[in-house]
């Protein structure tokens, strides 16, 4: 294979040089348990405090409002399960979320339903967005928690979190947001935006996999997910992963410091990709054009299967992701694309490219040089492609929006 073009940064990112350099000493020389009392523990303890300051500064909160976790999934589980236990004590049993959340939220919400909670899954519109009005209309006297993602991992839409927070604040309902895709890419200020809890993950912003954090506003007490030692002020047991915590501190600092520059760069590449791909006949963009994450491209090509596009792209060294079987062997198209109202047949032919500051114009040239020919080849083999009319043959034309 000639080269690797990695455009799947919404799935994970490579560790950056500055992050690796910052974390290295804590994998080797600085090995002390941060909770111990001898001198070997002072350095790791100080390093964790510094990382907590860095994360707090990036979100504009107090360091004591930041709790380190093992991943974004843990942060989401903790926020929902931990707060559900608290709100039930006040007879609040209703939770509001959306139907395009990450499975870390959706499956946790389903678990809570099995435990007697009532969950409303707000439907998104065809652009993949919900409004603050929808949230307002769904709030009931027994609503205790709203959990709505900041930005969607598949279609890149950015939700109106400050407006939603305003509604929650007014109705005295706690707002959690899964900001794993937004942190470092979109300006976030938890104070100004009135966010009560926020999940983030390191490996989406060039820290290693296996580190995350949960911001919990002072005064809110989700019960522990992990009971154990007194780490994280007694609220999350487990010996601290010093090296990865240091990595997260460095990664979020880098991301926030370079946000403007990186956003301009990613947006330009994204827009070139969108324009180039939409020039292919019978192709549509999934998710709102704006507001959209600077690095997200998600398109559907009628008449083909996402997996076959991925295999062909891989033969050219291009790593991307599709709207179908991305979820471990399942043949169902993504719940996100279906929620946007795409017919199954079209959702199946979807492709997500997510660029980062590491991608270049030359890589975009290369992708745009090869994808149109790949699509044409696949369509020529497709039993559902009408070559003459350059459209998909569908049994029910009403399905074709
Ligand atoms: C990646 C991701 C997660 C999960 O984070 P992990 O650290 O991989 O557990 C949660 N939510 C969203 C929106 C994500 O993109």
């Amino acid at each position: 294979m000639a080269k690797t073009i990695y455009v799947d940064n919404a799935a994970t990112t490579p560790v950056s040089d500055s992050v690796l350099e910052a974390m290295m000493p804590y994998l080797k020389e600085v090995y002390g348990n941060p909770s111990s009392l001898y001198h070997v523990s002072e350095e790791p303890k100080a390093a964790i405090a510094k990382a907590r300051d860095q994360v707090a500064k990036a979100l504009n909160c107090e360091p004591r409002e930041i709790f380190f976790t093992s991943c974004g999934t843990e942060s989401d589980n903790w926020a929902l399960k931990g707060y559900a236990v608290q709100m039930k004590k006040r007879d609040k049993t209703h939770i509001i979320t959306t139907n395009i959340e990450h499975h870390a939220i959706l499956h946790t919400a389903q678990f809570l339903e099995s435990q007697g909670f009532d969950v409303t899954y707000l439907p998104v519109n065809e652009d993949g967005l919900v409004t603050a009005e929808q949230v307002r209309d769904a709030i009931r006297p027994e609503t205790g928690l709203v959990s709505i993602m900041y930005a969607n991992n598949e279609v890149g839409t950015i939700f109106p979190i400050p407006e939603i927070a305003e509604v929650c604040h007014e109705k005295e309902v706690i707002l959690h947001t899964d900001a794993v895709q937004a942190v470092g890419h979109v300006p976030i200020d938890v104070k100004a935006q009135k966010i009560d809890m926020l999940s983030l993950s390191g490996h989406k912003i060039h820290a290693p996999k296996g580190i995350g954090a949960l911001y919990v506003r002072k005064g809110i007490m989700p019960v522990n997910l992990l009971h154990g030692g007194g780490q994280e002020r007694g609220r999350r047991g487990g010996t601290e992963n010093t090296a990865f915590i240091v990595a997260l501190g460095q990664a979020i600092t880098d991301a926030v410091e370079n946000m403007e520059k990186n956003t301009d760069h990613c947006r330009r590449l994204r827009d070139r990709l969108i324009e180039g791909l939409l020039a292919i006949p019978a192709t549509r963009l999934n998710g709102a054009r704006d507001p959209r994450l600077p690095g997200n491209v998600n398109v559907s090509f009628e008449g083909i299967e996402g997996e076959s596009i991925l295999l062909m792209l891989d033969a050219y060294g291009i790593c991307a992701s599709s709207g179908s079987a991305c979820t471990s062997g399942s043949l169902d198209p993504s719940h996100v694309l279906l929620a946007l109202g795409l017919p199954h047949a079209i959702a199946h032919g979807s492709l997500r490219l997510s660029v980062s500051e590491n991608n270049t114009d030359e890589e975009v040239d290369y992708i745009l040089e090869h994808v149109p020919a790949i699509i044409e080849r696949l369509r020529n083999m497709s039993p559902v492609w009408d070559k003459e009319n350059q459209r998909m043959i569908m049994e029910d034309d009403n399905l074709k929006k």
Side-chain angles (χ1 to χ4, degrees), residues 34-61:
S35 300
S36 302
L37 291 175
Y38 32 70
H39 72 280
V40 171
S41 295
E42 273 158 28
E43 218 180 316
K45 202 181 295 173
I48 290 172
K50 180 181 165 196
R52 204 182 305 280
D53 286 346
Q54 288 173 312
V55 177
K57 189 163 167 239
L59 301 178
N60 190 31
C61 65

PDB file of all heavy atoms in Angstrom, residues 34-61:
ATOM      1  N   PRO A  34       0.047   8.371  43.505  1.00  0.00           N
ATOM      2  CA  PRO A  34      -0.187   9.764  43.895  1.00  0.00           C
ATOM      3  C   PRO A  34      -0.818   9.902  45.278  1.00  0.00           C
ATOM      4  O   PRO A  34      -0.785  10.983  45.865  1.00  0.00           O
ATOM      5  CB  PRO A  34      -1.135  10.294  42.815  1.00  0.00           C
ATOM      6  CG  PRO A  34      -1.185   9.277  41.745  1.00  0.00           C
ATOM      7  CD  PRO A  34      -0.651   7.989  42.261  1.00  0.00           C
ATOM      8  N   SER A  35      -1.403   8.837  45.796  1.00  0.00           N
ATOM      9  CA  SER A  35      -2.072   8.951  47.096  1.00  0.00           C
ATOM     10  C   SER A  35      -1.145   8.673  48.271  1.00  0.00           C
ATOM     11  O   SER A  35      -1.545   8.828  49.425  1.00  0.00           O
ATOM     12  CB  SER A  35      -3.242   7.975  47.173  1.00  0.00           C
ATOM     13  OG  SER A  35      -4.160   8.258  46.160  1.00  0.00           O
ATOM     14  N   SER A  36       0.093   8.207  48.016  1.00  0.00           N
ATOM     15  CA  SER A  36       0.973   7.859  49.124  1.00  0.00           C
ATOM     16  C   SER A  36       1.635   9.100  49.712  1.00  0.00           C
ATOM     17  O   SER A  36       1.533  10.195  49.172  1.00  0.00           O
ATOM     18  CB  SER A  36       2.034   6.861  48.650  1.00  0.00           C
ATOM     19  OG  SER A  36       1.384   5.721  48.140  1.00  0.00           O
ATOM     20  N   LEU A  37       2.332   8.882  50.827  1.00  0.00           N
ATOM     21  CA  LEU A  37       2.808  10.045  51.578  1.00  0.00           C
ATOM     22  C   LEU A  37       4.305  10.308  51.464  1.00  0.00           C
ATOM     23  O   LEU A  37       4.800  11.297  51.967  1.00  0.00           O
ATOM     24  CB  LEU A  37       2.415   9.899  53.055  1.00  0.00           C
ATOM     25  CG  LEU A  37       0.901  10.029  53.286  1.00  0.00           C
ATOM     26  CD1 LEU A  37       0.546   9.745  54.738  1.00  0.00           C
ATOM     27  CD2 LEU A  37       0.404  11.417  52.889  1.00  0.00           C
ATOM     28  N   TYR A  38       5.041   9.405  50.795  1.00  0.00           N
ATOM     29  CA  TYR A  38       6.492   9.634  50.689  1.00  0.00           C
ATOM     30  C   TYR A  38       6.823  10.552  49.505  1.00  0.00           C
ATOM     31  O   TYR A  38       5.948  10.876  48.689  1.00  0.00           O
ATOM     32  CB  TYR A  38       7.229   8.299  50.567  1.00  0.00           C
ATOM     33  CG  TYR A  38       6.452   7.223  49.837  1.00  0.00           C
ATOM     34  CD1 TYR A  38       6.234   7.319  48.469  1.00  0.00           C
ATOM     35  CD2 TYR A  38       5.905   6.139  50.522  1.00  0.00           C
ATOM     36  CE1 TYR A  38       5.519   6.359  47.800  1.00  0.00           C
ATOM     37  CE2 TYR A  38       5.176   5.166  49.848  1.00  0.00           C
ATOM     38  CZ  TYR A  38       4.993   5.280  48.492  1.00  0.00           C
ATOM     39  OH  TYR A  38       4.271   4.339  47.827  1.00  0.00           O
ATOM     40  N   HIS A  39       8.096  10.910  49.397  1.00  0.00           N
ATOM     41  CA  HIS A  39       8.479  11.926  48.413  1.00  0.00           C
ATOM     42  C   HIS A  39       8.223  11.507  46.972  1.00  0.00           C
ATOM     43  O   HIS A  39       7.968  12.339  46.114  1.00  0.00           O
ATOM     44  CB  HIS A  39       9.953  12.313  48.600  1.00  0.00           C
ATOM     45  CG  HIS A  39      10.920  11.250  48.157  1.00  0.00           C
ATOM     46  ND1 HIS A  39      11.231  10.159  48.940  1.00  0.00           N
ATOM     47  CD2 HIS A  39      11.600  11.096  47.010  1.00  0.00           C
ATOM     48  CE1 HIS A  39      12.083   9.397  48.266  1.00  0.00           C
ATOM     49  NE2 HIS A  39      12.330   9.944  47.099  1.00  0.00           N
ATOM     50  N   VAL A  40       8.257  10.193  46.705  1.00  0.00           N
ATOM     51  CA  VAL A  40       8.061   9.690  45.338  1.00  0.00           C
ATOM     52  C   VAL A  40       6.640  10.002  44.834  1.00  0.00           C
ATOM     53  O   VAL A  40       6.345   9.950  43.642  1.00  0.00           O
ATOM     54  CB  VAL A  40       8.354   8.157  45.305  1.00  0.00           C
ATOM     55  CG1 VAL A  40       7.959   7.525  43.990  1.00  0.00           C
ATOM     56  CG2 VAL A  40       9.821   7.905  45.589  1.00  0.00           C
ATOM     57  N   SER A  41       5.773  10.336  45.730  1.00  0.00           N
ATOM     58  CA  SER A  41       4.385  10.610  45.347  1.00  0.00           C
ATOM     59  C   SER A  41       4.113  12.077  45.064  1.00  0.00           C
ATOM     60  O   SER A  41       3.063  12.421  44.519  1.00  0.00           O
ATOM     61  CB  SER A  41       3.446  10.159  46.464  1.00  0.00           C
ATOM     62  OG  SER A  41       3.526   8.775  46.595  1.00  0.00           O
ATOM     63  N   GLU A  42       5.061  12.907  45.460  1.00  0.00           N
ATOM     64  CA  GLU A  42       4.778  14.334  45.312  1.00  0.00           C
ATOM     65  C   GLU A  42       4.675  14.760  43.856  1.00  0.00           C
ATOM     66  O   GLU A  42       3.792  15.532  43.486  1.00  0.00           O
ATOM     67  CB  GLU A  42       5.858  15.164  46.019  1.00  0.00           C
ATOM     68  CG  GLU A  42       5.521  15.371  47.479  1.00  0.00           C
ATOM     69  CD  GLU A  42       6.726  15.702  48.314  1.00  0.00           C
ATOM     70  OE1 GLU A  42       7.689  16.277  47.762  1.00  0.00           O
ATOM     71  OE2 GLU A  42       6.718  15.363  49.507  1.00  0.00           O
ATOM     72  N   GLU A  43       5.590  14.223  43.038  1.00  0.00           N
ATOM     73  CA  GLU A  43       5.599  14.642  41.633  1.00  0.00           C
ATOM     74  C   GLU A  43       4.333  14.200  40.888  1.00  0.00           C
ATOM     75  O   GLU A  43       3.711  15.025  40.212  1.00  0.00           O
ATOM     76  CB  GLU A  43       6.863  14.109  40.957  1.00  0.00           C
ATOM     77  CG  GLU A  43       7.431  15.118  39.987  1.00  0.00           C
ATOM     78  CD  GLU A  43       8.687  14.602  39.312  1.00  0.00           C
ATOM     79  OE1 GLU A  43       9.545  14.023  40.014  1.00  0.00           O
ATOM     80  OE2 GLU A  43       8.794  14.762  38.092  1.00  0.00           O
ATOM     81  N   PRO A  44       3.939  12.934  40.989  1.00  0.00           N
ATOM     82  CA  PRO A  44       2.685  12.559  40.313  1.00  0.00           C
ATOM     83  C   PRO A  44       1.473  13.320  40.854  1.00  0.00           C
ATOM     84  O   PRO A  44       0.578  13.684  40.087  1.00  0.00           O
ATOM     85  CB  PRO A  44       2.558  11.056  40.572  1.00  0.00           C
ATOM     86  CG  PRO A  44       3.556  10.714  41.610  1.00  0.00           C
ATOM     87  CD  PRO A  44       4.620  11.756  41.557  1.00  0.00           C
ATOM     88  N   LYS A  45       1.476  13.565  42.154  1.00  0.00           N
ATOM     89  CA  LYS A  45       0.351  14.305  42.751  1.00  0.00           C
ATOM     90  C   LYS A  45       0.270  15.707  42.130  1.00  0.00           C
ATOM     91  O   LYS A  45      -0.804  16.175  41.746  1.00  0.00           O
ATOM     92  CB  LYS A  45       0.572  14.421  44.265  1.00  0.00           C
ATOM     93  CG  LYS A  45      -0.707  14.674  45.032  1.00  0.00           C
ATOM     94  CD  LYS A  45      -0.450  14.821  46.529  1.00  0.00           C
ATOM     95  CE  LYS A  45       0.070  13.532  47.174  1.00  0.00           C
ATOM     96  NZ  LYS A  45       0.468  13.712  48.576  1.00  0.00           N
ATOM     97  N   ALA A  46       1.434  16.352  42.009  1.00  0.00           N
ATOM     98  CA  ALA A  46       1.472  17.705  41.432  1.00  0.00           C
ATOM     99  C   ALA A  46       1.082  17.672  39.957  1.00  0.00           C
ATOM    100  O   ALA A  46       0.403  18.578  39.460  1.00  0.00           O
ATOM    101  CB  ALA A  46       2.869  18.295  41.600  1.00  0.00           C
ATOM    102  N   ALA A  47       1.498  16.614  39.266  1.00  0.00           N
ATOM    103  CA  ALA A  47       1.182  16.513  37.837  1.00  0.00           C
ATOM    104  C   ALA A  47      -0.326  16.375  37.626  1.00  0.00           C
ATOM    105  O   ALA A  47      -0.888  16.965  36.693  1.00  0.00           O
ATOM    106  CB  ALA A  47       1.915  15.317  37.229  1.00  0.00           C
ATOM    107  N   ILE A  48      -0.981  15.610  38.488  1.00  0.00           N
ATOM    108  CA  ILE A  48      -2.437  15.443  38.371  1.00  0.00           C
ATOM    109  C   ILE A  48      -3.139  16.763  38.672  1.00  0.00           C
ATOM    110  O   ILE A  48      -4.086  17.155  37.980  1.00  0.00           O
ATOM    111  CB  ILE A  48      -2.928  14.311  39.299  1.00  0.00           C
ATOM    112  CG1 ILE A  48      -2.433  12.957  38.752  1.00  0.00           C
ATOM    113  CG2 ILE A  48      -4.450  14.315  39.421  1.00  0.00           C
ATOM    114  CD1 ILE A  48      -2.676  11.779  39.673  1.00  0.00           C
ATOM    115  N   ALA A  49      -2.632  17.466  39.675  1.00  0.00           N
ATOM    116  CA  ALA A  49      -3.239  18.773  40.012  1.00  0.00           C
ATOM    117  C   ALA A  49      -3.103  19.730  38.834  1.00  0.00           C
ATOM    118  O   ALA A  49      -4.039  20.463  38.496  1.00  0.00           O
ATOM    119  CB  ALA A  49      -2.569  19.350  41.257  1.00  0.00           C
ATOM    120  N   LYS A  50      -1.935  19.698  38.182  1.00  0.00           N
ATOM    121  CA  LYS A  50      -1.730  20.583  37.028  1.00  0.00           C
ATOM    122  C   LYS A  50      -2.699  20.218  35.891  1.00  0.00           C
ATOM    123  O   LYS A  50      -3.312  21.097  35.280  1.00  0.00           O
ATOM    124  CB  LYS A  50      -0.281  20.479  36.545  1.00  0.00           C
ATOM    125  CG  LYS A  50       0.011  21.363  35.344  1.00  0.00           C
ATOM    126  CD  LYS A  50       1.436  21.241  34.841  1.00  0.00           C
ATOM    127  CE  LYS A  50       1.546  21.860  33.446  1.00  0.00           C
ATOM    128  NZ  LYS A  50       2.785  21.442  32.765  1.00  0.00           N
ATOM    129  N   ALA A  51      -2.841  18.920  35.639  1.00  0.00           N
ATOM    130  CA  ALA A  51      -3.742  18.487  34.563  1.00  0.00           C
ATOM    131  C   ALA A  51      -5.184  18.893  34.871  1.00  0.00           C
ATOM    132  O   ALA A  51      -5.934  19.306  33.979  1.00  0.00           O
ATOM    133  CB  ALA A  51      -3.641  16.978  34.366  1.00  0.00           C
ATOM    134  N   ARG A  52      -5.556  18.793  36.140  1.00  0.00           N
ATOM    135  CA  ARG A  52      -6.922  19.186  36.525  1.00  0.00           C
ATOM    136  C   ARG A  52      -7.119  20.691  36.276  1.00  0.00           C
ATOM    137  O   ARG A  52      -8.169  21.109  35.790  1.00  0.00           O
ATOM    138  CB  ARG A  52      -7.166  18.828  37.996  1.00  0.00           C
ATOM    139  CG  ARG A  52      -8.647  18.640  38.344  1.00  0.00           C
ATOM    140  CD  ARG A  52      -8.873  18.341  39.822  1.00  0.00           C
ATOM    141  NE  ARG A  52      -8.130  17.200  40.334  1.00  0.00           N
ATOM    142  CZ  ARG A  52      -8.484  15.926  40.179  1.00  0.00           C
ATOM    143  NH1 ARG A  52      -9.588  15.626  39.530  1.00  0.00           N
ATOM    144  NH2 ARG A  52      -7.738  14.947  40.668  1.00  0.00           N
ATOM    145  N   ASP A  53      -6.083  21.466  36.591  1.00  0.00           N
ATOM    146  CA  ASP A  53      -6.153  22.909  36.304  1.00  0.00           C
ATOM    147  C   ASP A  53      -6.301  23.157  34.807  1.00  0.00           C
ATOM    148  O   ASP A  53      -7.058  24.023  34.379  1.00  0.00           O
ATOM    149  CB  ASP A  53      -4.859  23.614  36.766  1.00  0.00           C
ATOM    150  CG  ASP A  53      -4.793  23.761  38.283  1.00  0.00           C
ATOM    151  OD1 ASP A  53      -5.838  23.561  38.942  1.00  0.00           O
ATOM    152  OD2 ASP A  53      -3.698  24.066  38.799  1.00  0.00           O
ATOM    153  N   GLN A  54      -5.543  22.395  34.020  1.00  0.00           N
ATOM    154  CA  GLN A  54      -5.584  22.589  32.561  1.00  0.00           C
ATOM    155  C   GLN A  54      -6.982  22.295  31.999  1.00  0.00           C
ATOM    156  O   GLN A  54      -7.500  23.047  31.182  1.00  0.00           O
ATOM    157  CB  GLN A  54      -4.550  21.683  31.871  1.00  0.00           C
ATOM    158  CG  GLN A  54      -3.107  22.136  32.097  1.00  0.00           C
ATOM    159  CD  GLN A  54      -2.100  21.132  31.545  1.00  0.00           C
ATOM    160  OE1 GLN A  54      -2.212  19.925  31.793  1.00  0.00           O
ATOM    161  NE2 GLN A  54      -1.108  21.625  30.809  1.00  0.00           N
ATOM    162  N   VAL A  55      -7.571  21.181  32.453  1.00  0.00           N
ATOM    163  CA  VAL A  55      -8.909  20.829  31.953  1.00  0.00           C
ATOM    164  C   VAL A  55      -9.927  21.874  32.411  1.00  0.00           C
ATOM    165  O   VAL A  55     -10.772  22.324  31.632  1.00  0.00           O
ATOM    166  CB  VAL A  55      -9.324  19.408  32.415  1.00  0.00           C
ATOM    167  CG1 VAL A  55     -10.743  19.084  31.945  1.00  0.00           C
ATOM    168  CG2 VAL A  55      -8.346  18.353  31.898  1.00  0.00           C
ATOM    169  N   ALA A  56      -9.801  22.302  33.677  1.00  0.00           N
ATOM    170  CA  ALA A  56     -10.735  23.297  34.221  1.00  0.00           C
ATOM    171  C   ALA A  56     -10.629  24.609  33.448  1.00  0.00           C
ATOM    172  O   ALA A  56     -11.643  25.238  33.113  1.00  0.00           O
ATOM    173  CB  ALA A  56     -10.453  23.526  35.702  1.00  0.00           C
ATOM    174  N   LYS A  57      -9.395  24.987  33.138  1.00  0.00           N
ATOM    175  CA  LYS A  57      -9.195  26.236  32.400  1.00  0.00           C
ATOM    176  C   LYS A  57      -9.814  26.137  30.998  1.00  0.00           C
ATOM    177  O   LYS A  57     -10.442  27.085  30.515  1.00  0.00           O
ATOM    178  CB  LYS A  57      -7.691  26.508  32.303  1.00  0.00           C
ATOM    179  CG  LYS A  57      -7.366  27.875  31.763  1.00  0.00           C
ATOM    180  CD  LYS A  57      -5.928  28.287  32.050  1.00  0.00           C
ATOM    181  CE  LYS A  57      -5.578  29.500  31.208  1.00  0.00           C
ATOM    182  NZ  LYS A  57      -4.443  29.267  30.311  1.00  0.00           N
ATOM    183  N   ALA A  58      -9.665  24.984  30.366  1.00  0.00           N
ATOM    184  CA  ALA A  58     -10.205  24.803  29.014  1.00  0.00           C
ATOM    185  C   ALA A  58     -11.731  24.910  28.987  1.00  0.00           C
ATOM    186  O   ALA A  58     -12.310  25.305  27.980  1.00  0.00           O
ATOM    187  CB  ALA A  58      -9.751  23.460  28.453  1.00  0.00           C
ATOM    188  N   LEU A  59     -12.377  24.524  30.102  1.00  0.00           N
ATOM    189  CA  LEU A  59     -13.848  24.550  30.135  1.00  0.00           C
ATOM    190  C   LEU A  59     -14.397  25.754  30.890  1.00  0.00           C
ATOM    191  O   LEU A  59     -15.609  25.976  30.910  1.00  0.00           O
ATOM    192  CB  LEU A  59     -14.381  23.274  30.808  1.00  0.00           C
ATOM    193  CG  LEU A  59     -14.006  21.922  30.187  1.00  0.00           C
ATOM    194  CD1 LEU A  59     -14.580  20.794  31.022  1.00  0.00           C
ATOM    195  CD2 LEU A  59     -14.531  21.826  28.755  1.00  0.00           C
ATOM    196  N   ASN A  60     -13.507  26.517  31.532  1.00  0.00           N
ATOM    197  CA  ASN A  60     -13.867  27.616  32.432  1.00  0.00           C
ATOM    198  C   ASN A  60     -14.699  27.158  33.636  1.00  0.00           C
ATOM    199  O   ASN A  60     -15.841  27.580  33.835  1.00  0.00           O
ATOM    200  CB  ASN A  60     -14.591  28.753  31.700  1.00  0.00           C
ATOM    201  CG  ASN A  60     -14.731  29.977  32.595  1.00  0.00           C
ATOM    202  OD1 ASN A  60     -13.871  30.227  33.449  1.00  0.00           O
ATOM    203  ND2 ASN A  60     -15.818  30.723  32.423  1.00  0.00           N
ATOM    204  N   CYS A  61     -14.103  26.247  34.419  1.00  0.00           N
ATOM    205  CA  CYS A  61     -14.735  25.862  35.681  1.00  0.00           C
ATOM    206  C   CYS A  61     -13.649  25.782  36.741  1.00  0.00           C
ATOM    207  O   CYS A  61     -12.491  26.105  36.475  1.00  0.00           O
ATOM    208  CB  CYS A  61     -15.464  24.529  35.536  1.00  0.00           C
ATOM    209  SG  CYS A  61     -14.363  23.138  35.200  1.00  0.00           S
TER     210      CYS A  61
END
